[in-house]
Amino acid sequence: MRFKKSEILLIEDDLALGSSISEILQLSDFYVHWAMNGIEALDYLQNHTPSIVISDMMMPFMNGEELFINIRKKKKFNAIPFVMITANIDEEVKYRQLENGVTEYIVKPFKSMELIFKIKNLLALAQYIEKKFKPDPFSKVTIKLSDKDFLVSVNEYILNNLKSKISIEELSTHLYISKSTLDKKIRKYAKKSITQYIREFKLEYAVRLIDAGERNIQFLVDETGFNSFSYFSSSFKSYIGLTTRDYIKSLEN
């Protein structure tokens, strides 16, 4: 059985460096599409969804920062890791890219293994998150739920409605039980109220996105369906013990 290779979109205007990086990635068993500038990259993305984007910072027509902002405007590309490569060692520039939401920032010159390891780590985390939260298709046909199937079905419903305000009444109807029974079962199996369970599920999802490289806090708020930035921030700090920014910084140290 043949497995599909991870597809990498490389944007690099330097012929020698672009050729070298492309060759290294292909030797590491990645499929690589090499674009010479941001305009070519955006054109390619109209019909393709790569596993990861690697871009030089300084390029003609459109620099890496402008390209990143343009890519993130499309919702379907929000979760794709974006690696910025640059010779600029200015700390302010670096922090601005990370604050914008760039997943990784690699300074030239760099060792090829540094790039390969970072790519593999980002892809592994993305695959872990997808596997962890992928709904169990068989839970949909389960009427009388076992302990394990009950929580699986609750998690599936929350995940499928993650960006919305989740109605406990609609959740209980989905599971064919009353709201009081739903709350009792959650308290029994998870040792917390249904409201707390939903909130912490969303926060745990946000944590996994951060661990996978997401740095845009507003994106985290939108993806987890919190009704305000401040409520997300206070809930995150209460749950993790650190502010969102401090948690992100702890991963970068």
Side-chain angles (χ1 to χ4, degrees):
M1 180 178 180
R2 298 186 66 183
F3 294 93
K4 184 179 179 181
K5 294 182 179 180
S6 294
E7 179 180 348
I8 296 176
L9 172 58
L10 170 66
I11 307 97
E12 174 58 66
D13 64 309
D14 184 284
L15 289 174
L17 182 58
S19 178
S20 177
I21 294 176
S22 180
E23 183 177 351
I24 290 169
L25 294 175
Q26 290 179 62
L27 288 173
S28 297
D29 210 28
F30 294 112
Y31 171 76
V32 181
H33 178 83
W34 175 17
M36 295 294 294
N37 55 61
I39 296 174
E40 286 185 15
L42 291 176
D43 183 60
Y44 180 77
L45 289 171
Q46 289 183 18
N47 299 304
H48 300 82
T49 305
S51 302
I52 194 166
V53 176
I54 302 172
S55 176
D56 190 12
M57 178 66 173
M58 301 304 297
M59 298 182 294
F61 309 119
M62 180 186 302
N63 65 32
E65 183 174 8
E66 293 169 328
L67 173 62
F68 172 77
I69 292 171
N70 270 280
I71 289 176
R72 282 294 196 258
K73 286 179 181 177
K74 294 189 177 182
K75 210 166 201 177
K76 68 176 182 177
F77 298 135
N78 277 344
I80 297 177
F82 190 105
V83 179
M84 189 81 78
I85 297 176
T86 181
N88 192 328
I89 59 173
D90 188 306
E91 291 289 297
E92 185 178 341
V93 173
K94 175 181 178 179
Y95 292 146
R96 187 173 71 246
Q97 305 316 308
L98 294 174
E99 186 174 14
N100 285 343
V102 167
T103 315
E104 276 287 355
Y105 190 91
I106 300 178
V107 178
K108 301 174 185 177
F110 57 87
K111 301 290 186 181
S112 60
M113 291 311 298
E114 176 186 3
L115 179 62
I116 296 300
F117 284 140
K118 286 186 174 181
I119 290 172
K120 289 184 175 180
N121 287 342
L122 288 172
L123 292 175
L125 281 168
Q127 289 166 6
Y128 172 77
I129 290 174
E130 181 181 5
K131 182 178 179 181
K132 181 74 175 177
F133 289 103
K134 187 177 181 180
D136 178 2
F138 296 105
S139 66
K140 293 182 179 180
V141 299
T142 303
I143 302 300
K144 189 175 180 180
L145 301 171
S146 67
D147 294 359
K148 181 180 178 181
D149 287 336
F150 170 72
L151 290 178
V152 167
S153 295
V154 170
N155 291 348
E156 176 188 338
Y157 184 88
I158 298 172
L159 184 62
N160 288 339
N161 297 275
L162 199 65
K163 296 183 180 181
S164 309
K165 182 179 180 181
I166 294 176
S167 165
I168 296 175
E169 182 173 340
E170 290 179 4
L171 174 55
S172 61
T173 300
H174 176 76
L175 298 173
Y176 302 99
I177 57 178
S178 67
K179 289 193 294 182
S180 60
T181 300
L182 171 62
D183 192 64
K184 286 178 183 178
K185 289 171 78 71
I186 287 291
R187 289 181 186 276
K188 177 181 178 182
Y189 302 137
K191 311 302 180 186
K192 59 192 71 173
S193 69
I194 180 61
T195 302
Q196 181 184 358
Y197 186 86
I198 293 171
R199 182 174 64 252
E200 292 184 358
F201 182 99
K202 291 187 170 198
L203 290 168
E204 188 60 33
Y205 187 82
V207 169
R208 293 186 186 281
L209 287 177
I210 294 172
D211 290 345
E214 183 56 58
R215 296 295 182 265
N216 189 319
I217 299 177
Q218 185 60 56
F219 173 76
L220 298 174
V221 175
D222 296 338
E223 283 296 294
T224 52
F226 277 80
N227 57 19
S228 71
F229 189 98
S230 59
Y231 180 46
F232 172 84
S233 299
S234 61
S235 298
F236 189 95
K237 184 176 181 180
S238 177
Y239 180 61
I240 298 297
L242 294 170
T243 65
T244 315
R245 292 189 186 282
D246 286 342
Y247 181 74
I248 291 172
K249 288 179 181 178
S250 73
L251 300 179
E252 296 170 355
N253 294 331

